[in-house]
Amino acid sequence: MGAAAALAIGLAVGLDGLVGELPNRLHPVAYLGRLVGWTDREWRHPRLVGALAAVTIPIIAAAIAWGFVTGAGRVGWIAGALAAGFVLFVTTSLRALVETARDVIEATETDRERARERVPALIGRDPEDLSPSELRSGAVESAAENLADGLVAPLVAFVVGVSLGGVALGAAAAGWVKGVNTLDSMLGYRSKPVGWAGARLDDLVMAVPARVAAVAIALAAGRPGAVVAARRWAREPLSPNSGWPMATLAVALDVGLVKPGAYDLNSDAALPDRERGRRGVRVVTGAGVLSILAGGVIAWL
């Protein structure tokens, strides 16, 4: 079991490094997003529909992942491990995240229009009126938040699933978490009552991964005490979890990270300049690598 899990994680990391993100027409999560999008409409009882979606859509994702890996496993344990690695690859992301954040940060000095064109891949706010420092802040804070959502959460779920029942269950757990995250990212807004149940479920699911990501960020930055200092700002964002990795990175970099009208993390410090932004991306990359190594060791053991 340990060798299969380690092989799966290794394959997922290798594919992420070589391929990055699959194109939408080939990406299973894009089809999952279409299913979520189908629920994004007017309903007579939107919260009831949202609750049903929050139950069924993650289970569908988990069932597909479990069936895929179980079917491959009938050929042999290596085939099962490779199938689980593919599931983990499509449910996690690191390279695309850090490359996009780096691109935005560099473009704030050389081509602000490009920075504004690229930053919506990371943040939901209107970029037109954002200053270069606010664009860099958005890129840095999103890199920290999405480290938790896009890498640590599915990886933690995979490792827990493997420890309970092997790589097929691990893949199912990663698929389930990805289903929850997709629901929240697409529907988890106050303006969408249908997304209420998915958002609350995501709050529960992300409680541990967000804090694991914060610890990984602090260690990667060489500032282990940053997690403790970040408690002052971690609850400023509306989400009970996203503030932890963002505030920890703000403290570790000694910068402010701000979303106008929503939160101001480490408010005594200046917004990131390009060099601090670059360092932020390096720290998130290092935190991702630490998380992967820890996950691989735990899965092996």
Side-chain angles (χ1 to χ4, degrees):
M1 184 183 298
L7 177 58
I9 293 173
L11 176 64
V13 172
L15 288 174
D16 184 66
L18 291 172
V19 178
E21 293 281 355
L22 291 173
N24 278 348
R25 68 181 186 279
L26 300 176
H27 207 306
V29 178
Y31 291 94
L32 180 66
R34 293 182 187 180
L35 180 59
V36 173
W38 179 82
T39 68
D40 188 10
R41 61 181 72 186
E42 294 293 329
W43 300 96
R44 179 174 296 179
H45 303 288
R47 289 202 172 192
L48 176 59
V49 173
L52 292 172
V55 170
T56 58
I57 290 177
I59 288 176
I60 290 170
I64 292 172
W66 182 86
F68 176 60
V69 176
T70 298
R74 290 174 181 167
V75 177
W77 75 268
I78 293 179
L82 295 177
F86 179 78
V87 171
L88 193 58
F89 162 59
V90 299
T91 55
T92 58
S93 177
L94 181 61
R95 175 182 163 181
L97 171 64
V98 298
E99 284 184 348
T100 303
R102 186 183 300 115
D103 190 21
V104 170
I105 290 164
E106 294 299 327
T108 57
E109 295 291 333
T110 59
D111 187 347
R112 291 182 191 176
E113 286 307 309
R114 175 173 173 79
R116 291 190 173 98
E117 289 172 1
R118 293 283 283 153
V119 79
L122 297 170
I123 63 174
R125 71 205 73 157
D126 184 355
E128 289 305 314
D129 295 327
L130 297 181
S131 67
S133 58
E134 288 172 333
L135 288 167
R136 288 190 290 268
S137 172
V140 170
E141 67 199 55
S142 181
E145 180 182 7
N146 283 292
L147 175 71
D149 291 342
L151 177 67
V152 175
L155 183 61
V156 167
F158 177 78
V159 172
V160 170
V162 165
S163 68
L164 294 175
V167 291
L169 186 58
W176 185 83
V177 165
K178 195 64 180 179
V180 173
N181 289 162
T182 304
L183 277 165
D184 180 61
S185 66
M186 294 182 66
L187 304 178
Y189 302 94
R190 289 186 171 184
S191 60
K192 297 184 177 184
V194 73
W196 183 87
R200 299 292 76 76
L201 180 59
D202 186 76
D203 289 344
L204 292 173
V205 167
M206 290 304 300
V208 171
R211 288 154 179 80
V212 170
V215 171
I217 286 169
L219 293 175
R223 295 279 305 276
V227 178
V228 177
R231 293 174 62 186
R232 178 179 174 185
W233 297 281
R235 291 182 173 84
E236 279 201 21
L238 289 176
S239 165
N241 301 309
S242 64
W244 282 98
M246 292 193 297
T248 300
L249 186 57
V251 171
L253 297 175
D254 193 23
V255 300
L257 298 176
V258 60
K259 180 178 181 180
Y263 52 78
D264 189 354
L265 309 179
N266 200 19
S267 53
D268 296 332
L271 296 180
D273 57 18
R274 184 165 64 168
E275 185 50 45
R276 293 292 178 93
R278 287 170 172 169
R279 183 162 184 262
V281 174
R282 291 196 297 270
V283 168
V284 169
T285 304
V289 171
L290 284 176
S291 301
I292 291 165
L293 290 175
V297 170
I298 294 170
W300 179 271
L301 296 176

